Amino acid sequence: MDPREGAQTLCCHASAESSGGGAAAGKGAEMRGSGGNAGSLEPAPASGEVDMLGDSHAHVEHQPELHRPNSKAGVPFGSLDSASAVTSTVKGPGIPVLRSQSAHPLDPLTPTEIAVAIATVRAAGATPEVRDGMRFVEVVLNEPDKNVVALADAYFFPPYQPTLYRPKAKGGAMYPLQLPPRQARLVVYNKRTNETSIWVVELSEVHATARGGHHRGKVFSSVNVPDVQPPMDAMEYAECEALVKEYPPFVEAMKKRGIEDMDLVMVDPWCVGYYGEEDSPSRRLGRPLIFCRTESDCPLENGYARPVEGIHVLVDMRHMQVIEFEDRNFVPLPPPDPLRNYTAASSRGGVDRTDIKPLLITQPEGPSFRVNGYAVEWQKWNFRVGFTPREGLVIHTVAYDDGSRGRRSVAHRLSFVEMVVPYGDPHDPHYRKNAFDAGEDGLGRNAHSLKRGCDCLGHIKYFDAHFTNFLGGVETIENCVCMHEEDHGILWKHQDWRTGMTEVRRSRRLTVSFFCTVANYEYGFFWHFYQDGHIEAEVKLTGILSLGALKADENRRQGTVIAPGLYAPVHQHFFVARLDMSVDCNPGERLNQVVEVNMKVEDPGPENPHNNAFYAEETLLSSELHAQRDCNALTHRHWIVRNTRTFNRTGQLTGYKLMPGRNCLPLAGPDAKFLRRAAFLNHNLWVTEYKRDECFPGGEFPNQNPRVGEGLPTWVKQDRKLEETDVVLWYVFGVTHVPRLEDWPVMPVEHVGFKLLPHGFFNCSPAVDVPPSEATIAEDGIKEAPAKGVGPTDSIQPTLLSKLGIERMRVWPSGSRRIAVALRSSQQQQQHAYSPEVFVCCKTAEFRASSLLLGADITRSVPILE
């Protein structure tokens, strides 16, 4: 049975076991909901301080009242104020109760669910040998179909949709449909047989009040995947390093270079890629890079400062054996660089600057966001946070609350699904450095535990991440995902030059992020949500350069000399964002299309007599082959995802624009070996029709992949139509890194990314209703706060006052009015016998006020009505 079919199964739940019988059951359901016990449909309290849902959901404090699911309840759709048991809307005996749902179908797997899934698969092994050979590469949520997510949102986000109920008989009670069980998807590598398999386990949660509930699993499907190698694991890397450092020929090679203490040696195993049949996935291979520290008793030393060149090592990672070794080319170790270390001054013999004063970020009333489990509500945005070992942070079901238009969908799923780092040095071993950091290692499994005050500032909500290790144990990265608000400068501003009246709003954004380390480099992945309705995806690159050693008389133009005997090869960093869009679509609707916009210069002629005209030309990307596109800054090229049935007030289709940032394409020939596996890098944009199993641009298993162009380049050959469907955008963006001396010993953060901007999605600026703020000085510093009360401000430009003949003006905000006191200069008062005038000005009538100031009849107070 196809596991995708099971995920779509819905059933009516009306058993006596669930109902508990009559009104007592309904009352019990309400008590369970209000108590927030484990297994309750009632989510955790909505607050920036709520812990992430795990095995226990017993959040009793500040539990909101139950909301009755009827259209007159007045609860806005998308509110995080909890959902109660559905049967609380119906009175009378014999009414069934929906079995409690403890987790939303998109919530990441809990540690208990991961453990149950692993135990279920291990128990299903045919023989003890098979079970002992199982290595668990990945255990993730098998995400349900979109219609199941919609059903769950109806349960978790009141008011409920009437289509989700059906009567048992005419005039009878309405029966809710039950959510299907959650599923786990496991990638299992068998070390004994060198086989990779994919398992789907159905997770059932059994609730017993006395025991607090427990989980059980059932194998839903399993399939062997031939001719692949799954990602490497940290345990394999550690075993490989120990193996190489104990290998006698390697020890001798290091002695030739003056190194006898193997504790100084660092062995970084890298995947071999695919360069020929010798890299076939019939063997699980690793090709390490070697580095050497100078001090064994200094754990803070930068060991990447001394690369070991000329030694070739190939390791069978399955049997953990060195199968090839050669000391090919003797290159002396670079001398210790006095600037190699990057830790605090006390540990590197330097001096840290002392002129930095404390910068405090405070939110005395708490954050503006609200968190309920993994559901987030901020300003008018709402979405769900997810996390996988491969992608890291995932943003689900992004929507915007647009007042009377309700909760409007923007995207179903946003994530970074792959990154590739090809190097431009043709020498060994650098030409083999083209890591697929997501597909070969996993961005999520290499994530950091973040620290308050260092990685994030302000009032922070952290999310933990749970995953399996190679042997099937469950591990947790605490504080893995950080969410907080940031001030982002000016949102918008305008000053009326006639009156000098100024309106300005400060911008803030909600940032959700995580950081990971892959060998020498660090990458931060950020999703920023803004008050004007746009989303920014950003990658921050930092860490340590991957270096090479040079002989005394050697020079290479494919790199930058960093220190004597040390150089940094040129390279590129590519990232692939998968944007499963759903612009203005209800669940199940396939109503999006993509248009490309290019700016065109009007041809000279009668329509362009001054030769200055240009316009935006739109082209519909009608099919997948047509939708292979590249950035073009000369034409301001961008792409708009539009809903084909929804219009704004001017009659145009609503949409969201993908606005590229800085970008590049591979600087390699068409026959470059790494492009066999990374053909998706040949274009900046790909658009496909949504298919559930099309998740990764280079296929699920890029490690030692012998198949040319697997993934996106193969899928688009179907040339599926895109005029009106469920579209997925694959945006490929990157940076070309020509190292600088200033990138050493640790690289300052470099930024790259793109934006999703509303384009005709709203009828006007959604940021026009952001309230004004003013800077108030407190004992502990300057704080931003909403403008309250009445206080004078000098808001009129002096140059304008002189034009009006006014010596000074003091303005008091008073509700929706401004009271302006204009004091005429003494010279003008004598000439025109004017006395100080008082004008009451409505914000929308400032021009009338200035006209009266300049007019003849200004010898009396002139009220301007609202």
Side-chain angles (χ1 to χ4, degrees):
M1 180 179 181
D2 189 334
R4 293 187 295 274
E5 296 177 4
Q8 300 178 29
T9 304
L10 300 180
C11 62
C12 210
H13 185 77
S15 66
E17 175 187 355
S18 300
S19 67
K27 183 178 180 181
E30 292 186 10
M31 293 176 63
R32 289 194 298 274
S34 61
N37 293 329
S40 172
L41 180 64
E42 187 78 16
S47 156
E49 286 295 319
V50 176
D51 291 334
M52 195 170 62
L53 287 178
D55 291 338
S56 173
H57 304 174
H59 299 281
V60 181
E61 302 83 12
H62 312 294
Q63 197 73 352
E65 295 183 1
L66 298 180
H67 290 282
R68 304 296 189 244
N70 60 61
S71 58
K72 298 180 180 180
V75 183
F77 184 75
S79 170
L80 296 184
D81 281 345
S82 82
S84 62
V86 177
T87 53
S88 62
T89 60
V90 187
K91 306 297 182 181
I95 299 173
V97 178
L98 175 71
R99 175 174 292 177
S100 298
Q101 303 291 331
S102 64
H104 189 281
L106 290 178
D107 285 354
L109 295 177
T110 66
T112 299
E113 289 176 318
I114 294 173
V116 168
I118 291 171
T120 302
V121 170
R122 184 174 275 140
T127 64
E129 291 76 18
V130 170
R131 293 192 288 272
D132 290 343
M134 287 182 174
R135 298 294 182 265
F136 295 89
V137 176
E138 183 178 272
V139 182
V140 296
L141 175 73
N142 193 39
E143 295 178 13
D145 282 346
K146 297 180 180 181
N147 62 330
V148 175
V149 175
L151 174 64
D153 283 345
Y155 288 153
F156 283 77
F157 293 83
Y160 302 99
Q161 304 299 308
T163 56
L164 299 180
Y165 306 91
R166 57 185 182 190
K168 184 176 181 181
K170 186 176 181 180
M174 305 297 283
Y175 289 78
L177 301 175
Q178 183 184 5
L179 294 173
R182 282 157 61 84
Q183 293 181 342
R185 186 179 188 272
L186 300 88
V187 177
V188 181
Y189 173 69
N190 195 296
K191 195 171 183 179
R192 291 180 180 269
T193 63
N194 195 36
E195 293 179 335
T196 300
S197 56
I198 297 177
W199 299 68
V200 176
V201 173
E202 189 174 274
L203 301 167
S204 300
E205 191 169 1
V206 181
H207 298 280
T209 304
R211 299 191 299 274
H214 64 275
H215 292 267
R216 61 186 178 192
K218 179 178 68 176
V219 174
F220 191 76
S221 67
S222 66
V223 59
N224 287 334
V225 185
D227 207 27
V228 300
Q229 282 294 340
M232 293 291 185
D233 184 81
M235 185 177 296
E236 293 180 290
Y237 287 161
E239 292 177 358
C240 179
E241 180 175 45
L243 171 71
V244 172
K245 290 166 69 172
E246 294 175 357
Y247 188 63
F250 176 78
V251 175
E252 290 301 317
M254 293 305 298
K255 286 182 179 179
K256 287 172 55 179
R257 291 161 173 80
I259 303 299
E260 296 190 6
D261 184 358
M262 286 298 105
D263 289 339
L264 296 175
V265 178
M266 297 165 43
V267 180
D268 278 10
W270 282 52
C271 296
V272 299
Y274 188 87
Y275 286 81
E277 184 59 29
E278 67 276 9
D279 299 325
S280 165
S282 60
R283 300 183 299 175
R284 187 166 175 83
L285 302 175
R287 195 180 299 273
L289 297 178
I290 314 299
F291 304 89
C292 186
R293 298 196 303 271
T294 59
E295 303 175 56
S296 60
D297 58 348
C298 183
L300 299 178
E301 185 186 1
N302 177 11
Y304 289 110
R306 300 183 80 196
V308 179
E309 294 268 3
I311 296 178
H312 166 83
V313 186
L314 184 66
V315 177
D316 184 328
M317 304 292 285
R318 176 187 168 199
H319 298 102
M320 211 49 71
Q321 296 176 347
V322 176
I323 56 178
E324 290 182 18
F325 179 85
E326 186 179 355
D327 192 352
R328 294 178 172 175
N329 181 28
F330 178 79
V331 180
L333 284 174
D337 180 9
L339 302 179
R340 67 187 179 276
N341 292 331
Y342 52 87
T343 50
S346 59
S347 65
R348 57 179 169 83
V351 177
D352 287 338
R353 62 183 69 181
T354 59
D355 57 350
I356 297 180
K357 303 298 183 182
L359 175 63
L360 304 178
I361 308 297
T362 62
Q363 293 178 277
E365 298 181 14
S368 300
F369 58 77
R370 306 172 67 221
V371 183
N372 201 334
Y374 294 92
V376 177
E377 188 179 75
W378 178 77
Q379 303 282 305
K380 298 183 179 183
W381 288 107
N382 55 81
F383 56 88
R384 304 191 70 86
V385 173
F387 198 89
T388 73
R390 180 168 184 157
E391 303 159 277
L393 176 63
V394 180
I395 305 295
H396 296 282
T397 58
V398 181
Y400 193 92
D401 184 4
D402 192 15
S404 61
R405 300 187 69 171
R407 183 175 182 264
R408 301 175 64 190
S409 172
V410 174
H412 180 74
R413 193 180 192 275
L414 307 174
S415 70
F416 295 95
V417 288
E418 192 55 271
M419 62 173 292
V420 185
V421 188
Y423 279 69
D425 189 338
H427 299 84
D428 187 40
H430 306 289
Y431 75 92
R432 282 185 172 269
K433 290 158 63 173
N434 44 76
F436 285 60
D437 287 336
E440 292 179 341
D441 290 285
L443 302 176
R445 92 174 83 248
N446 287 291
H448 299 181
S449 182
L450 301 174
K451 294 182 180 180
R452 187 184 301 271
C454 298
D455 297 289
C456 311
L457 295 176
H459 194 112
I460 304 164
K461 165 64 181 176
Y462 288 112
F463 297 88
D464 297 343
H466 313 289
F467 57 96
T468 180
N469 60 29
F470 212 37
L471 296 179
V474 181
E475 299 184 357
T476 296
I477 302 176
E478 296 182 347
N479 297 352
C480 182
V481 173
C482 167
M483 183 173 72
H484 66 287
E485 293 176 285
E486 296 178 341
D487 180 87
H488 196 62
I490 300 299
L491 175 62
W492 56 262
K493 180 175 183 177
H494 180 66
Q495 183 178 79
D496 189 319
W497 68 268
R498 292 179 174 85
T499 65
M501 297 295 185
T502 302
E503 291 290 344
V504 59
R505 303 292 187 270
R506 290 204 64 79
S507 174
R508 68 173 61 183
R509 66 185 184 185
L510 181 70
T511 295
V512 192
S513 64
F514 82 103
F515 255 92
C516 68
T517 297
V518 186
N520 52 295
Y521 263 113
E522 266 74 21
Y523 301 95
F525 296 89
F526 292 73
W527 292 96
H528 304 293
F529 295 85
Y530 291 84
Q531 294 165 302
D532 64 353
H534 91 265
I535 303 168
E536 181 182 12
E538 180 185 25
V539 181
K540 297 181 180 180
L541 300 84
T542 181
I544 302 175
L545 299 168
S546 183
L547 305 176
L550 294 174
K551 294 180 180 179
D553 57 348
E554 190 178 8
N555 186 28
R556 292 182 185 172
R557 62 181 181 181
Q558 297 92 5
T560 302
V561 175
I562 297 295
L566 194 63
Y567 84 108
V570 295
H571 56 281
Q572 295 181 290
H573 302 258
F574 289 101
F575 307 90
V576 184
R578 182 178 181 271
L579 312 174
D580 183 356
M581 302 300 291
S582 182
V583 176
D584 255 342
C585 287
N586 293 320
E589 291 183 344
R590 303 167 63 86
L591 301 176
N592 282 173
Q593 62 179 204
V594 182
V595 297
E596 179 176 283
V597 180
N598 289 281
M599 302 308 299
K600 297 288 186 179
V601 175
E602 191 83 53
D603 293 333
E607 299 297 325
N608 186 17
H610 307 293
N611 213 22
N612 68 317
F614 61 94
Y615 62 97
E617 181 179 76
E618 296 185 358
T619 304
L620 174 66
L621 302 183
S622 58
S623 69
E624 291 177 329
L625 288 179
H626 185 206
Q628 301 174 63
R629 310 300 299 164
D630 296 326
C631 295
N632 187 347
L634 296 178
T635 65
H636 188 60
R637 180 173 293 170
H638 56 272
W639 300 276
I640 304 174
V641 181
R642 284 183 173 148
N643 187 289
T644 58
R645 308 288 180 88
T646 306
F647 301 87
N648 54 37
R649 66 172 179 169
T650 64
Q652 299 173 339
L653 296 175
T654 60
Y656 253 80
K657 174 170 67 174
L658 169 57
M659 192 68 227
R662 57 183 291 200
N663 212 331
C664 60
L665 288 170
L667 295 172
D671 297 327
K673 294 295 180 66
F674 78 90
L675 288 177
R676 289 174 52 98
R677 302 185 296 147
F680 54 85
L681 298 182
N682 287 323
H683 296 289
N684 296 129
L685 180 76
W686 306 70
V687 184
T688 61
E689 181 184 9
Y690 169 80
K691 294 297 179 185
R692 180 177 169 143
D693 57 350
E694 295 180 359
C695 300
F696 305 108
E700 183 166 11
F701 301 104
N703 186 16
Q704 297 178 236
N705 182 10
R707 295 166 293 279
V708 179
E710 186 172 12
L712 267 175
T714 299
W715 300 334
V716 299
K717 290 180 181 179
Q718 304 171 72
D719 202 23
R720 292 166 292 197
K721 300 303 179 184
L722 301 174
E723 289 98 336
E724 185 178 73
T725 188
D726 189 353
V727 299
V728 177
L729 275 61
W730 309 76
Y731 182 60
V732 182
F733 61 103
V735 296
T736 299
H737 191 181
V738 180
R740 307 169 296 147
L741 287 174
E742 291 81 0
D743 291 330
W744 182 253
V746 63
M747 175 183 165
V749 166
E750 186 161 357
H751 305 257
V752 64
F754 63 93
K755 293 181 179 181
L756 292 172
L757 298 152
H759 191 277
F761 190 80
F762 302 102
N763 285 330
C764 67
S765 168
V768 74
D769 61 353
V770 174
S773 58
E774 62 182 12
T776 60
I777 300 179
E779 293 181 359
D780 57 348
I782 298 178
K783 299 180 179 179
E784 181 188 347
K788 296 179 180 179
V790 177
T793 60
D794 290 311
S795 64
I796 307 301
Q797 288 184 338
T799 54
L800 180 62
L801 296 180
S802 62
K803 290 179 181 179
L804 299 178
I806 299 174
E807 189 175 70
R808 65 184 184 275
M809 179 177 285
R810 305 285 281 172
V811 180
W812 282 261
S814 178
S816 60
R817 299 186 175 191
R818 295 180 186 270
I819 303 174
V821 178
L823 302 179
R824 294 284 177 178
S825 64
S826 56
Q827 180 181 359
Q828 284 200 345
Q829 288 186 29
Q830 294 175 2
Q831 180 178 355
H832 300 286
Y834 289 159
S835 60
E837 307 296 338
V838 179
F839 299 93
V840 181
C841 310
C842 172
K843 288 183 180 179
T844 58
E846 291 173 355
F847 179 77
R848 292 176 58 195
S850 63
S851 298
L852 288 166
L853 280 167
L854 296 172
D857 187 14
I858 55 173
T859 58
R860 56 186 176 83
S861 299
V862 182
I864 300 179
L865 301 179
E866 297 184 33

